[in-house]
Amino acid sequence: MRERMRKPKAIIVGGSIAGISCAKALILAGGDVVVIEKTCGPPTGNPTGAGINRAVDQEKNICADFFFIFLHGLIYNTLPVEIVFWGHLYLTFCISHNKSTVNVKAKNLRTDVIIDVVGDLLVAADGSRSSVRRTFLPDSKLRYTCYYAWSGVFDFSESENSETIQGIRKAYPTLGNGVHTDLAPGTHIVLYELMYKRLNWIWYISQPEPELKLARVIKETKEPFLNLIYDCDPLTQVYCDNVVFIRDAAHPITPHCARSTNMAIADAAVLGKCLEKLGEENLHSALEEYQSVRLPVTTKQVLHSRRVGQIKLGLPLPDRVPFDPKTTSPEDCEILKQRSLPFFDDVPATLE
């Protein structure tokens, strides 16, 4: 009787949409998975919608489909519940001398017990301030974009006929069908309607980076919410030994092209397919292929989104005058459209 081969095991640090998507992809590729996440449980409460999948080009009144948000629960609910270690804080990791395994330490935040998890691959899905990435690439720093954003959700479920919401609907007749942007010198506002009669708004303002103590006071205030906008210069590599980076751990991106979630899903899917194709015995070859497929795409998308933000906020650029929405030409606005994003509707070759 042929001996059954052990399934390859991946340890994923981070239980966000990136980590959960990666868990799903790697299970489909035939692997075992453990997800380590510091929050005490999956997101709860009313969903804000399965996604915004219609963007309105108001100049030509053309609707273009695009993927924007996948609900965390949509993927999480298809996973075995025992694979996610909720309430566990990632501490550190080490790679074996022969580089065949990786050992991750995490602390149970409820009991303070330290656990060890051993696997073949460590996936860093721990966000733009990734502790795992910092271990390998200490010189890779977040870059303040010179602007920040106020944001909030306006609940009009009990005031649908109010003067405020009627005024908004008059100004934006197609509000429920897509994303709308108001541009002004040095600032812009994004509006889109959510499910359950709620309106999400984001107000971008060009300003120097605020003092940390002030930013903390504002961010820790329940309402409203302040988001300092950062990205990172594209990495030249997204894996090291038995460790691979995905989503914001690999490519922090500004929000102007609404691409972060899409990039997370694509990272996870491509990584899963590469591992399925080449197998555990060719782990480094699989990671090299993942890098060769995703790095050229994410590099261009990060830099494009950075440029779109700089243009919208009227920040100085060496190759153009500051953007003024009152005087700019329609041709000059082409770069601001979603479809100008590199690889906007491309499907990675590994997924075809």
Side-chain angles (χ1 to χ4, degrees), residues 121-153:
L121 173 67
L122 171 59
V123 179
D126 52 341
S128 61
R129 300 181 184 274
S130 171
S131 298
V132 180
R133 184 185 70 223
R134 194 160 54 243
T135 301
F136 285 105
L137 304 169
D139 294 330
S140 175
K141 308 292 185 183
L142 290 180
R143 184 194 68 93
Y144 181 59
T145 59
C146 297
Y147 56 91
Y148 55 83
W150 293 99
S151 64
V153 176

Side-chain angles (χ1 to χ4, degrees), residues 51-56 62-68 175-179:
I52 301 169
N53 51 26
R54 292 178 72 83
V56 180
I62 296 174
C63 293
D65 291 337
F66 71 98
F67 292 114
F68 189 62
L175 182 63
N177 290 324
V179 180

